[in-house]
Amino acid sequence: MTNRLENTVALVTGSSSGIGAATARRLAAEGAAVALVARRRDRLDGLAAGIRADGGTALVVQADVTSQREAAGAVETAVAELGRLDTVVNNAGIMLLGPALDAPIGEWDQMVALNVQGMLYITHTALPHLVRAAADSPRQVADLVTITSTAGRVARPGSAVYNLTKFGAAAFSEALRQELIGRRVRVSVIEPGTVDTELASHLRDDIREAARSQTASIEPLRPDDIADTVAYIVTRDRRVAVNEMLVRAAEQTW
């Protein structure tokens, strides 16, 4: 690695597993000090130990971002401990699929709370810090990256509320992008297709089997593939803004 993010600080939500953990490792390898934000402290401690063993800097911040107080506290803790905030990756999310007619309302609440409100709580507190970082950084830029999904581009039966949260995140990001152009804060969305993560493990048993059969013929992306995408976006020169990247598994049609 070339330490392209040396002297910067990144915060990654949902970093206890999957895309979040891979992204945290990759940004640390690029030289960023990384704040690891998630609920599972044991997972975060293990990830932080691995990053430090490789010569990186990692701060464990246990928090549930669906709580406005905890989300704001996570951002402020990262800034207090690491000194600044140059990059935020809104990765925490949950996918609960199934027909709307039979869906427990609690599943809809969970998706809105994490995929939308959690993203908003982190972003709201982080924005002033990102603006300040862009103003005083030698790189003259800061980055806000939100991981959405192909479900933020294509609506399909059985994923109505998941689609709502991901389409909404994309629209929010685009409006924010336009607002922040003059502040040199780049706003990007990454739309992964099928990725080998824990996301499907939260599905009800019958829905999980249906989802598995649908993707059985697809070689899924790996979390590192999406981490590579994040790293590509946030290491560009300030003259380059990569606002949207759609990354599908090669055999995926939707």
Side-chain angles (χ1 to χ4, degrees):
M1 293 295 177
T2 57
N3 289 334
R4 292 174 289 185
L5 298 179
E6 190 173 10
N7 299 319
T8 72
V9 173
L11 180 150
V12 182
T13 68
S15 52
S16 58
S17 67
I19 292 170
T23 297
R25 284 192 294 267
R26 180 59 189 275
L27 297 182
E30 291 280 0
V34 183
L36 312 174
V37 179
R39 293 177 300 172
R40 294 180 288 186
R41 178 72 191 230
D42 58 333
R43 294 282 193 94
L44 296 180
D45 286 339
L47 176 60
I51 289 172
R52 292 167 188 151
D54 290 335
T57 299
L59 173 70
V60 170
V61 186
Q62 184 180 17
D64 179 353
V65 299
T66 66
S67 159
Q68 190 277 332
R69 179 183 59 81
E70 292 190 32
V75 173
E76 298 298 357
T77 296
V79 174
E81 294 290 328
L82 300 174
R84 56 188 296 115
L85 186 59
D86 301 84
T87 303
V88 170
V89 181
N90 280 315
N91 166 73
I94 190 168
M95 177 184 71
L96 300 171
L97 306 178
L101 188 62
D102 302 320
I105 193 66
E107 291 190 350
W108 291 6
D109 289 341
Q110 280 181 269
M111 284 188 283
V112 171
L114 186 53
N115 300 358
V116 179
Q117 289 178 312
M119 174 194 67
L120 295 180
Y121 293 154
I122 290 289
T123 300
H124 184 266
T125 307
L127 283 179
H129 298 294
L130 293 173
V131 168
R132 281 194 288 274
D136 72 10
S137 167
R139 299 177 69 236
Q140 296 187 312
V141 72
D143 285 281
L144 174 67
V145 181
T146 297
I147 309 298
T148 63
S149 169
T150 53
R153 295 174 65 95
V154 181
R156 290 167 60 82
S159 61
V161 177
Y162 187 62
N163 285 137
L164 179 151
T165 66
K166 296 303 183 178
F167 270 80
F172 171 73
S173 297
E174 171 57 17
L176 205 56
R177 179 191 73 80
Q178 296 177 41
E179 287 185 32
L180 294 171
I181 285 175
R183 303 289 194 137
R184 299 200 301 273
V185 177
R186 299 181 294 204
V187 181
S188 309
V189 295
I190 298 172
E191 300 150 327
T194 301
V195 184
D196 184 13
T197 69
E198 296 178 0
L199 206 59
S201 68
H202 302 287
L203 298 172
R204 283 172 278 144
D205 291 345
D206 56 331
I207 303 297
R208 187 185 312 118
E209 289 309 310
R212 282 176 177 165
S213 66
Q214 185 182 53
T215 59
S217 63
I218 296 173
E219 180 181 359
L221 298 166
R222 299 171 184 172
D224 284 337
D225 296 326
I226 306 306
D228 287 345
T229 307
V230 175
Y232 178 83
I233 288 172
V234 304
T235 56
R236 296 308 89 197
D237 185 89
R238 67 169 298 271
R239 72 183 182 277
V240 181
V242 182
N243 304 131
E244 181 180 16
M245 290 191 76
L246 171 63
V247 187
R248 287 188 175 103
E251 295 92 356
Q252 187 171 341
T253 57
W254 65 90

